[in-house]
Amino acid sequence: MTSMVEARHLCKRVTTSEGELVILSDINLSISAAETVAIVGASGSGKSTLLGLMAGLDSASSGDMLLDGQNLSTMDEEQRARLRGQSVGFVFQSFQLLPSLTALENVMLPIELKNDRNARQKAAQLLQRVGLEARVTHYPNQLSGGEQQRVAIARAFASQAKILFADEPTGNLDTTTGAKVIDLLFSLNKEYGTTLVLVTHDDRLAQRCGRLVRLVAGEITEDVVAGDAVHV
Amino acid sequence: MSEQSASAFNTVSVRTLIGVALRLLWRDWRGGELRLLLLAMIMAVTSVSGIALFTDRLERALLQESANMLAADRVLGAREQPPRELLSEAEQRGLSTAEYIAFASMVFSDQGNLLIAAKAVSDAYPLRGDLQVADEAFGVAYVADQGGPARGEVWVESRVLPSLDINIGDTVFLGDSEFTVSRVLVQEPDRQQGGMMENAGPRLLMHMDDVPATNVIQPGSRVTYRYLFAGEQSALEDYTTWVRNQFDGQYRLRDVRDESAEVSEALNRGESFLLLGSLFAVLLAGVAIALTARRYSERHFDYAAILKTLGCTSNQISIIYFCILLAVLLLAVIVGSIAGWGLHMLILNLLQSVIPISLPPASGLPFVVGALTALICLFAFALPPLLALKHTSPLRVLRKDLADAPLSTALPYVFGIAGGLVLVIWYSQDLLITAILVAAVSSVAVALSALSYLLLRSGTAAGMRAGSAWMLAMSAVRRRRRQSVLQVLVFSLTIMSLLTLGLLRTDLIADWQAQLPENTPNHFMMNIRSDQVAGMEDYLRDNDIQSNPFYPMMSAGLLRVNGETAPLPWDNDEEGNNASSSVTERSAESSQDDASDADAAENDGNRSGRVENRQVTYTAQLPPDNELVAGSWWGSDARPGEVSVELDYANRLRLELGDELVFRLGQQEVTVTVTSFRTVRWDNMQPNFFFIFSPGTLDSIGSTYLSTLLLQGEQKVLLNDLLRTYPTIVVLEVDALIEQIQTIIAQVSSAVELIAVLVLIAGALVLLSCVNATLDERFRENAILRTLGAGRKLIMTSLLIEFAFIGLLAGLIATLGAEISVYYLQVEVFQQEFFPHYWVWIVGPLAGTLIIASLGVNATRRVVSTSPLAVLRNLSA
Ligand SMILES: Nc1ncnc2c1ncn2[C@@H]1O[C@H](COP(=O)(O)OP(=O)(O)O)[C@@H](O)[C@H]1O
Ligand SMILES: [Mg+2]
């Protein structure tokens, strides 16, 4: 199977007022299509930074980052944007819906950007799938956190991405709501056969993934496939 | 990904992008985010097109009104009949023409005779303005239906009838012809044009074709020929150029500005003020657009980041926001133009009582000006921050702290300032005003940033123990230091604009009122012999007419300065002779002409030997409206041999105190020492002199006297009596001229008032949008404070203090800036004297504090009245 995501000797350094700060050092990681991977670690360990690099939201200081067979390090922001539009979906901790668009319009947006004429219909179907058919005309600030995240999940799948990145999708939600959102995420993922990379520090959530990668201070200290370790 | 699919993704989405843009636009509008930006844009278009429409029409109206003073748009005068070709060429160019001949003559009736100022006019006269006539002496005036008198008829001024002891319908004799007096002439538009010869004595108006038969014009007679022209501005200008080229400068077309220093000054100042007012309006609109666009784009950084994660490229983001701006621009131009039209109609309605003349229709230009202003404002102020969105890092969705980075680059400011500059220069076409404005604004901006930065930095200085509200406020100001400095900057620029306009307005109007106060003497009496002075003073007292000083007047030519030949003061400047259009000099025009003619002849046409003659006087008292600027006035114990020189004239001659001047008066040479310099109000329609000698210097030289009278309405008939008693004196009537000038000045004053008010409104909008622009952060911050348990009262008080502090700072700096720019504007542009306005140092900061504090607190009252939860939730998304 070809790798969906592949990091080779990936480093990320930033210059701050106190000097150079190494956020990620020598990350090597390969994720195959349809795999579900949880990235765990303490706050500040570099999880979001790694996710951003894998998704092409940022560029690495050194090393190579391949996404869907294309080397992100040799692409400029324009090319990366196009690649994101075609292959990548996102779910964020703070939902990141456009506040001036309704739930339906938020979901329609990525479909429209692909110039699909059936955007409205497809978006409506997805909203129904996440159980929000009654809320299509509501604006984000009229929705609860869980509902907003469900709209965000619908939007993420709307673009029919090959790979989905989620950064602490339950971080802003209470346990029960979070659990519901996670159920939804996983069942949609199964349906669409998407590759899922998910950052979390919620152990229960991590355990639902097929593979677990642990970051400590910018280095991978553990990379286990679920079957090998714990059986659920 | 193949090249093909990449480009397919790109091209097909352009239409979609426009769709996305329009949808975002619509949502933003509904959500209220766009409203402020749109409002600012509409305000810009409305105020600029409204003010431009108004000034456009008013300016034409004022020019038209003042053209009445010439009875034409342009006038050409000569002592000899100018070639007829001048008239035919003008007509071929679509201009209307008229002509007249002015001369002095005796007119006889069976009962008496009188020296009159005859004016023989062609059918088309007057081209501008009306002739007012009456059917009996001192009767009710009405507008003559067409042109001047028919052939064989004459119209005369009221006082001619009693003087010749005749009535309407009687016959008078002029030269070899006889005429029927058919009407009384009450007013002619260009009564005051020309020198003494044309205006000495009451007017008699006749038809031009009757002149040859009278045989009064003989070779050598003093006659003035005038050709009048009226028509389109551009045609007039082309024609003027043609005349200059064709006749090698021998003939010159003059307009009202050449003819009347008084009107030209009022018009020039009025236009400068209107221009300045609209410049401030543009500036304030630009600031409002900059502020709201910045706020809009700040709110859209998240949008841009999200769109990028969804696969939008930077270029697509640019397209989206470009479409949004374009739509906003279109909407603003359409709505703003309509509102601008409404605004100018409103102004006209308000001004109806002062501007009774029907205004010429507006041209389309003001709308173009308005639209262009919006376009330039938008591209200069709004495009840079919005295009900065394209550089938003998509990483923002993961890391909120990337927040402010994109806007901190200098590019938007460079864009904004350059755009503003281009706009101001293009709009004003006046480099002086632009330079002053730009210098004032930028120096204030620089000084201010430094000062407020320092002040805000040391905000916790001594004495600030007033409690936690004060601490809270100061820490808020300091926390938002960059933003606070920007706020102080915007507030002070706004307040400065308003103060500058306000101060200029007040001083201009006060100056105009002082120029021609009510009861300004409106008749000049000249050619009075010294033995007549006492008798005339008695006569005036007996008839209850206030008498004014009698000035001895004589013609003097400056020969040498400190032993060297005196230069001609206006040598290098053919237009520089404007000061001589003061009434004194103008009234003496003919005698002066004689003198210079004689000089020229004497010196064989050698220009360097020519002497310029001036009307001079001697007096013990400094005349009113004269102000000593150097040296000292001789007072009552004056010694002979001193002279006081008008300042500009002295500067042109490079005179200094103590210089020794030699004048020629008649056959004598007189040597005097310069002991003082004076400034003179040339526009006050009173006797004014370049040189005033100390008493005793010129006593041995014979002179005539000059004095002024105020005669109103029926009092004018006393002129007859006076002239019968003293037949040799010459009376110059300037009552009509003074009235015309007063009308024009009243109109310009109201225009000035109105523009000041309009800019005030624009300023208020800017203040509002600035307060609004900072609301978001305050909302959030105060919500957090309240969840931490801070009380309503504490928060309100701290907000009050915060805004009051910013207002005070802004008011202080604005006052400084305003005084400086008023100084330069008055000295350089308005040619006024500058006096510091002490009161404004109290009013400025106080107004700043009060206005900003109340605006701010009112706007942020919502901050404390909405529930903290709602605020936090609304903003966190
Ligand atoms: N652009 C940056 N500048 C400075 N520090 C950064 C930057 N990006 C990340 N960091 C730092 O790197 C560390 C890792 O950040 P992040 O990846 O967000 O951690 P996590 O998501 O695991 O909590 C943090 O200490 C963060 O402050
Ligand atoms: Mg993180």
Side-chain angles (χ1 to χ4, degrees):
Chain A
M1 216 188 260
T2 57
S3 327
M4 198 62 214
V5 175
E6 190 172 348
R8 296 180 195 145
H9 308 294
L10 197 67
C11 282
K12 180 68 181 176
R13 293 178 292 268
V14 290
T15 5
T16 64
S17 47
E18 288 101 53
E20 204 183 52
L21 178 73
V22 180
I23 303 174
L24 294 174
S25 59
D26 199 36
I27 301 288
N28 290 290
L29 185 69
S30 172
I31 299 171
S32 312
E35 226 182 331
T36 54
V37 182
I39 300 176
V40 296
S43 178
S45 55
K47 306 184 294 291
S48 296
T49 307
L50 180 58
L51 189 86
L53 287 176
M54 290 193 289
L57 294 177
D58 197 7
S59 49
S61 310
S62 66
D64 287 316
M65 183 69 234
L66 278 73
L67 180 64
D68 196 15
Q70 306 203 36
N71 193 342
L72 292 178
S73 352
T74 62
M75 295 165 84
D76 62 17
E77 166 55 26
E78 300 296 295
Q79 293 166 318
R80 291 201 298 260
R82 269 182 230 129
L83 182 59
R84 280 198 301 269
Q86 294 207 314
S87 315
V88 182
F90 290 97
V91 177
F92 303 103
Q93 176 175 6
S94 51
F95 322 137
Q96 304 289 11
L97 299 175
L98 291 186
S100 61
L101 301 187
T102 60
L104 183 69
E105 287 164 338
N106 263 294
V107 180
M108 279 166 67
L109 199 56
I111 315 178
E112 281 181 331
L113 286 173
K114 287 191 154 183
N115 215 29
D116 189 327
R117 278 171 207 291
N118 296 323
R120 181 170 294 272
Q121 194 195 333
K122 286 186 179 172
Q125 271 171 9
L126 268 163
L127 277 177
Q128 193 175 12
R129 178 68 186 77
V130 299
L132 288 176
E133 60 272 25
R135 306 290 234 154
V136 280
T137 58
H138 288 205
Y139 288 95
N141 62 22
Q142 296 169 306
L143 301 172
S144 72
E147 287 163 342
Q148 287 187 53
Q149 196 61 302
R150 272 145 71 193
V151 176
I153 288 170
R155 182 179 66 182
F157 284 98
S159 58
Q160 292 189 299
K162 295 180 195 163
I163 179 162
L164 200 67
F165 292 101
D167 190 7
E168 310 206 22
T170 58
N172 275 354
L173 303 174
D174 61 76
T175 328
T176 354
T177 317
K180 276 191 202 148
V181 164
I182 287 307
D183 284 341
L184 194 64
L185 186 61
F186 276 93
S187 68
L188 270 168
N189 192 54
K190 205 166 197 172
E191 241 169 74
Y192 284 79
T194 320
T195 314
L196 177 68
V197 179
L198 139 70
V199 164
T200 183
H201 45 228
D202 178 346
D203 281 341
R204 286 194 304 157
L205 177 52
Q207 280 163 9
R208 295 187 59 168
C209 294
R211 180 173 165 194
L212 184 141
V213 175
R214 183 173 305 279
L215 274 185
V216 175
E219 284 178 51
I220 296 179
T221 56
E222 191 184 341
D223 184 350
V224 287
V225 176
D228 299 348
V230 197
H231 259 295
V232 185
Chain B
M1 181 169 45
S2 73
E3 278 301 307
Q4 235 176 356
S5 73
S7 69
F9 184 80
N10 238 351
T11 47
V12 270
S13 27
V14 171
R15 221 185 310 139
T16 323
L17 289 176
I18 296 176
V20 172
L22 291 180
R23 199 153 332 115
L24 276 180
L25 184 77
W26 172 237
R27 298 298 164 207
D28 281 350
W29 166 252
R30 281 214 320 219
E33 297 215 346
L34 252 183
R35 269 180 225 173
L36 271 177
L37 179 59
L38 197 66
L39 203 73
M41 297 274 301
I42 290 177
M43 184 187 96
V45 180
T46 305
S47 57
V48 173
S49 64
I51 292 176
L53 269 172
F54 171 66
T55 39
D56 185 68
R57 296 185 68 179
L58 185 77
E59 213 179 304
R60 288 154 178 245
L62 284 175
L63 278 179
Q64 217 173 63
E65 169 88 335
S66 46
N68 291 349
M69 295 180 64
L70 289 184
D73 295 331
R74 299 282 189 286
V75 170
L76 181 152
R79 297 275 184 232
E80 307 282 334
Q81 168 112 42
R84 310 292 305 173
E85 186 194 352
L86 282 163
L87 290 174
S88 54
E89 174 71 21
E91 273 154 27
Q92 240 164 48
R93 289 167 178 267
L95 298 174
S96 29
T97 63
E99 55 181 314
Y100 69 78
I101 307 172
F103 54 92
S105 181
M106 290 302 282
V107 67
F108 299 85
S109 73
D110 294 338
Q111 289 78 23
N113 62 62
L114 182 70
L115 179 74
I116 47 92
K119 186 163 167 179
V121 302
S122 67
D123 287 325
Y125 174 89
L127 295 176
R128 296 277 187 241
D130 310 304
L131 287 167
Q132 293 199 17
V133 293
D135 292 329
E136 53 180 352
F138 306 104
V140 181
Y142 60 92
V143 174
D145 32 8
Q146 88 274 335
R151 292 198 59 172
E153 293 178 1
V154 293
W155 298 351
V156 295
E157 258 177 69
S158 289
R159 65 186 173 90
V160 171
L161 298 179
S163 192
L164 292 174
D165 200 9
I166 51 169
N167 282 312
I168 295 291
D170 289 352
T171 304
V172 292
F173 305 93
L174 195 139
D176 297 343
S177 307
E178 59 173 82
F179 296 93
T180 308
V181 178
S182 56
R183 274 169 176 176
V184 163
L185 177 67
V186 177
Q187 202 179 16
E188 59 187 291
D190 55 343
R191 176 71 174 96
Q192 228 45 97
Q193 297 312 308
M196 188 170 70
M197 292 305 293
E198 279 178 50
N199 294 301
R203 172 72 78 224
L204 177 145
L205 203 65
M206 60 187 285
H207 197 282
M208 238 183 82
D209 297 347
D210 286 333
V211 175
T214 60
N215 283 321
V216 284
I217 298 183
Q218 301 295 334
S221 320
R222 279 306 284 242
V223 178
T224 304
Y225 295 86
R226 281 181 188 249
Y227 287 174
L228 312 183
F229 308 92
E232 290 281 330
Q233 184 74 18
S234 57
L236 284 167
E237 267 156 29
D238 291 348
Y239 178 66
T240 307
T241 317
W242 179 83
V243 171
R244 198 185 311 120
N245 295 338
Q246 195 75 9
F247 294 93
D248 206 20
Q250 189 189 350
Y251 296 108
R252 200 162 86 83
L253 289 176
R254 296 164 70 84
D255 64 17
V256 69
R257 285 170 201 251
D258 302 317
E259 293 293 318
S260 163
E262 299 82 15
V263 170
S264 116
E265 201 150 273
L267 280 181
N268 285 344
R269 285 176 173 183
E271 275 171 17
S272 293
F273 188 89
L274 292 186
L275 178 65
L276 201 69
S278 26
L279 281 184
F280 275 126
V282 172
L283 197 79
L284 292 179
V287 171
I289 291 175
L291 282 174
T292 47
R294 197 192 156 92
R295 171 178 142 99
Y296 183 78
S297 58
E298 260 164 11
R299 289 189 148 210
H300 275 256
F301 279 127
D302 286 335
Y303 275 44
I306 296 172
L307 284 172
K308 283 193 175 182
T309 63
L310 296 179
C312 270
T313 63
S314 302
N315 287 336
Q316 289 169 337
I317 302 238
S318 301
I319 293 174
I320 289 179
Y321 284 100
F322 192 76
C323 287
I324 291 182
L325 279 192
L326 214 62
V328 170
L329 179 71
L330 274 178
L331 208 64
V333 167
I334 293 169
V335 177
S337 295
I338 295 171
W341 176 262
L343 178 71
H344 111 279
M345 288 310 283
L346 186 79
I347 302 174
L348 291 183
N349 259 328
L350 288 175
L351 282 188
Q352 220 165 22
S353 55
V354 235
I355 311 181
I357 36 175
S358 63
L359 290 177
S363 65
L365 194 70
F367 293 113
V368 179
V369 175
L372 271 178
T373 303
L375 190 76
I376 295 178
C377 278
L378 192 72
F379 275 88
F381 296 121
L383 203 56
L386 284 184
L387 286 190
L389 290 178
K390 128 184 198 174
H391 303 296
T392 319
S393 163
L395 212 57
R396 254 183 92 89
V397 293
L398 292 176
R399 299 182 51 89
K400 267 265 176 190
D401 54 330
L402 286 171
D404 298 336
L407 267 192
S408 64
T409 57
L411 195 68
Y413 297 102
V414 173
F415 252 99
I417 290 164
L421 211 62
V422 168
L423 189 68
V424 167
I425 291 174
W426 172 77
Y427 188 71
S428 69
Q429 312 253 312
D430 186 325
L431 283 180
L432 185 59
I433 290 188
T434 307
I436 293 177
L437 200 68
V438 169
V441 168
S442 50
S443 59
V444 161
V446 170
L448 180 91
S449 316
L451 182 68
S452 37
Y453 189 82
L454 286 178
L455 274 179
L456 294 178
R457 208 186 165 92
S458 57
T460 41
M464 298 196 179
R465 300 240 215 106
S468 47
W470 180 260
M471 309 283 269
L472 211 57
M474 284 304 116
S475 72
V477 171
R478 256 171 295 123
R479 201 167 37 249
R480 286 190 287 269
R481 191 187 302 142
R482 267 177 57 130
Q483 209 185 10
S484 298
V485 169
L486 189 76
Q487 266 180 339
V488 176
L489 190 95
V490 170
F491 287 148
S492 16
L493 282 183
T494 312
I495 299 175
M496 186 190 87
S497 310
L498 302 182
L499 282 180
T500 305
L501 277 190
L503 291 176
L504 280 177
R505 178 210 73 107
T506 313
D507 287 356
L508 268 185
I509 288 175
D511 199 27
W512 280 330
Q513 274 163 358
Q515 176 188 340
L516 293 175
E518 265 183 57
N519 301 331
T520 300
N522 54 7
H523 289 76
F524 278 65
M525 297 184 298
M526 292 178 301
N527 217 26
I528 305 166
R529 287 198 316 270
S530 54
D531 59 298
Q532 292 174 322
V533 171
M536 284 188 67
E537 280 176 330
D538 290 341
Y539 176 87
L540 295 176
R541 200 172 324 110
D542 293 345
N543 285 289
D544 245 4
I545 299 171
Q546 193 210 321
S547 99
N548 296 312
F550 281 70
Y551 293 100
M553 189 164 86
M554 56 205 84
S555 182
L558 178 59
L559 295 178
R560 289 186 292 279
V561 177
N562 292 334
E564 289 179 33
T565 310
L568 284 178
W570 321 106
D571 218 13
N572 308 318
D573 183 358
E574 56 173 305
E575 302 293 324
N577 216 354
N578 67 337
S580 71
S581 61
S582 90
V583 179
T584 322
E585 294 287 342
R586 205 176 355 172
S587 60
E589 182 188 291
S590 48
S591 56
Q592 188 191 323
D593 277 358
D594 288 339
S596 343
D597 287 350
D599 289 330
E602 250 168 50
N603 292 294
D604 248 353
N606 177 3
R607 188 159 161 65
S608 63
R610 226 178 107 182
V611 175
E612 197 176 50
N613 280 289
R614 289 289 168 196
Q615 299 301 316
V616 300
T617 193
Y618 57 87
T619 174
Q621 251 125 48
L622 187 65
D625 273 350
N626 278 233
E627 221 171 299
L628 221 58
V629 288
S632 57
W633 186 253
W634 37 77
S636 47
D637 52 337
R639 278 173 300 141
E642 298 185 9
V643 68
S644 172
V645 189
E646 193 269 338
L647 185 65
D648 284 338
Y649 204 85
N651 285 340
R652 289 201 177 239
L653 291 170
R654 298 209 180 74
L655 295 185
E656 284 178 32
L657 290 180
D659 280 353
E660 200 180 80
L661 310 184
V662 179
F663 286 92
R664 190 186 61 205
L665 290 101
Q667 304 308 317
Q668 293 192 34
E669 287 193 4
V670 177
T671 307
V672 287
T673 312
V674 179
T675 55
S676 67
F677 294 132
R678 289 166 295 124
T679 57
V680 169
R681 273 207 80 128
W682 292 108
D683 56 3
N684 69 350
M685 306 286 299
Q686 297 306 305
N688 285 318
F689 299 92
F690 287 112
F691 298 106
I692 298 181
F693 293 85
S694 58
T697 316
L698 309 174
D699 287 8
S700 59
I701 299 161
S703 72
T704 59
Y705 283 77
L706 164 77
S707 188
T708 55
L709 287 180
L710 172 64
L711 293 176
Q712 281 168 320
E714 299 251 331
Q715 276 183 325
K716 281 204 75 166
V717 78
L718 286 169
L719 268 185
N720 286 327
D721 208 18
L722 190 71
L723 285 164
R724 241 195 308 270
T725 322
Y726 303 101
T728 53
I729 72 166
V730 172
V731 173
L732 190 67
E733 297 158 60
V734 291
D735 46 345
L737 180 64
I738 287 183
E739 218 166 280
Q740 273 172 327
I741 295 172
Q742 276 167 339
T743 312
I744 291 174
I745 286 177
Q747 290 171 353
V748 177
S749 306
S750 1
V752 160
E753 292 273 11
L754 222 100
I755 293 297
V757 170
L758 280 182
V759 174
L760 195 81
I761 294 171
L765 276 174
V766 170
L767 290 181
L768 257 180
S769 67
C770 189
V771 170
N772 253 314
T774 60
L775 271 188
D776 280 359
E777 213 176 330
R778 267 176 242 283
F779 263 124
R780 194 189 191 98
E781 199 168 280
N782 286 297
I784 294 170
L785 276 178
R786 283 174 64 205
T787 57
L788 294 179
R792 255 182 87 110
K793 214 172 137 190
L794 179 70
I795 292 179
M796 283 303 279
T797 318
S798 97
L799 279 176
L800 184 77
I801 294 172
E802 185 185 341
F803 278 108
F805 181 69
I806 288 177
L808 178 71
L809 213 55
L812 258 171
I813 292 160
T815 307
L816 180 69
E819 276 287 76
I820 293 173
S821 32
V822 166
Y823 171 81
Y824 280 106
L825 285 167
Q826 287 192 329
V827 170
E828 299 293 334
V829 178
F830 292 98
Q831 319 282 337
Q832 278 181 303
E833 234 179 300
F834 173 82
F835 299 102
H837 309 81
Y838 299 111
W839 55 270
V840 89
W841 286 95
I842 298 176
V843 172
L846 199 71
T849 312
L850 287 181
I851 295 172
I852 310 281
S854 54
L855 266 182
V857 168
N858 187 45
T860 45
R861 218 176 20 215
R862 260 186 318 145
V863 174
V864 282
S865 50
T866 26
S867 90
L869 186 66
V871 173
L872 285 177
R873 206 164 116 176
N874 240 320
L875 289 170
S876 64

